Amino acid sequence: MRIDIITVLPELMKSPFEASILKRAIDKGLVSIHFHDLREHSKNKYRQIDDYQFGGGAGMVLMVEPIDKCISQLKSEREYDEIIYMTPDGTTLNQSIANELSLKGNIMILCGHYKGVDQRVRDHLITREISIGDFVLSGGELAANILCDAIIRLIPGVLSNETSALTDSFQDNLLAPPVYTRPADYKGWKVPEILTSGNTPKIEEWREDQAIKRTKEIRPDLLDD
Ligand code: ADE
């Protein structure tokens, strides 16, 4: 998979790709990340990429031209499955969207900033708009980092134990059951006996029950559909 990220703050976004699972995925050649600084596509000698909004009102808006230039250049080099705009008024990200996007070949992600982008970008260039939740960040960069993390860990071969993504919370609309490791008794805080019994079918049954119990308590909305 190839991910192209268009942003005014590439430096802000780099470190999550330089450690742990994401770095390993890149080193293994399973994904490549390419940053594009929007200012490089400004035709203006001040490298201007934003302007006041028509009609008045507080906050700057990212201009259509530098974004169109950048996206058009990338599209002339390869085909993209999705051109995603990170915005608080997009569709809320969930595991099923992450699963779907992890199967794509080339995706582009545009990070919004200030008041957002000129609506014509959204109308003519963007194929999908994604929010990471009902709150407003100072820009789309951190949201794009989160989207990339959620997608990349699902690409086949990224996680060493592939079943570990299948047992994540949300994969089956349930929260994950509790997990424990050694010691089995710490200060009298004991691990549930069933987990040390060696009885695999019973353990699976217990995990399923725990997942349902947790989901009912914390996220009953997940059980609605
Ligand atoms: N940009 C600002 N806030 C955001 C959010 N919640 N999700 C995606 N992009 C954003």
Side-chain angles (χ1 to χ4, degrees):
M1 171 183 272
R2 176 186 169 110
I3 305 178
D4 287 275
I5 300 172
I6 305 172
T7 167
V8 292
L9 290 168
E11 291 312 316
L12 174 68
M13 295 191 65
K14 288 184 179 164
S15 71
F17 299 103
E18 289 163 1
S20 191
I21 290 172
L22 301 193
K23 178 175 191 309
R24 230 172 31 237
I26 294 166
D27 291 347
K28 279 195 197 169
L30 296 169
V31 64
S32 65
I33 309 291
H34 307 264
F35 290 102
H36 306 278
D37 186 341
L38 201 52
R39 285 192 197 278
E40 305 286 322
H41 296 269
S42 168
K43 60 170 190 176
N44 183 302
K45 71 173 172 187
Y46 305 106
R47 310 220 308 158
Q48 184 187 3
I49 37 103
D50 57 346
D51 210 337
Y52 297 101
Q53 55 178 308
F54 279 125
M60 304 296 274
V61 175
L62 289 174
M63 297 155 85
V64 61
E65 186 172 0
I67 295 173
D68 181 36
K69 287 240 162 71
C70 184
I71 292 180
S72 301
Q73 189 187 318
L74 288 169
K75 277 166 82 176
S76 74
E77 291 162 6
R78 69 196 62 75
E79 288 205 357
Y80 286 88
D81 299 300
E82 294 282 2
I83 304 178
I84 300 165
Y85 173 51
M86 302 310 300
T87 177
D89 55 1
T91 310
T92 310
L93 179 62
N94 59 27
Q95 197 62 30
S96 121
I97 295 174
N99 285 339
E100 184 197 336
L101 293 175
S102 73
L103 302 172
K104 305 284 185 194
N106 299 324
I107 64 177
M108 214 188 288
I109 303 176
L110 170 65
C111 304
H113 224 79
Y114 316 111
K115 269 283 154 211
V117 300
D118 189 304
Q119 181 62 35
R120 290 167 290 185
V121 169
R122 301 172 70 162
D123 293 345
H124 300 286
L125 300 171
I126 296 298
T127 63
R128 193 159 189 159
E129 302 188 326
I130 295 180
S131 162
I132 61 155
D134 290 344
F135 45 85
V136 179
L137 302 166
S138 12
E141 285 77 14
L142 298 178
N145 276 132
I146 284 169
L147 175 64
C148 287
D149 187 299
I151 295 173
I152 293 169
R153 61 192 295 285
L154 295 173
I155 298 172
V158 169
L159 295 183
S160 43
N161 178 0
E162 290 210 30
T163 60
S164 74
L166 297 175
T167 57
D168 282 344
S169 281
F170 308 115
Q171 280 300 1
D172 45 12
N173 264 353
L174 289 177
L175 300 184
V179 291
Y180 299 85
T181 186
R182 290 187 292 177
D185 185 342
Y186 176 72
K187 294 204 276 186
W189 305 343
K190 293 200 175 66
V191 168
E193 248 169 56
I194 180 77
L195 294 177
T196 52
S197 68
N199 185 338
T200 311
K202 282 273 175 230
I203 292 173
E204 284 314 308
E205 198 180 303
W206 179 87
R207 287 185 170 147
E208 173 87 18
D209 289 348
Q210 289 291 312
I212 294 168
K213 181 165 167 263
R214 264 194 176 179
T215 310
K216 275 188 184 149
E217 276 167 23
I218 301 165
R219 291 293 306 277
D221 57 296
L222 292 175
L223 299 168
D224 290 348
D225 38 52

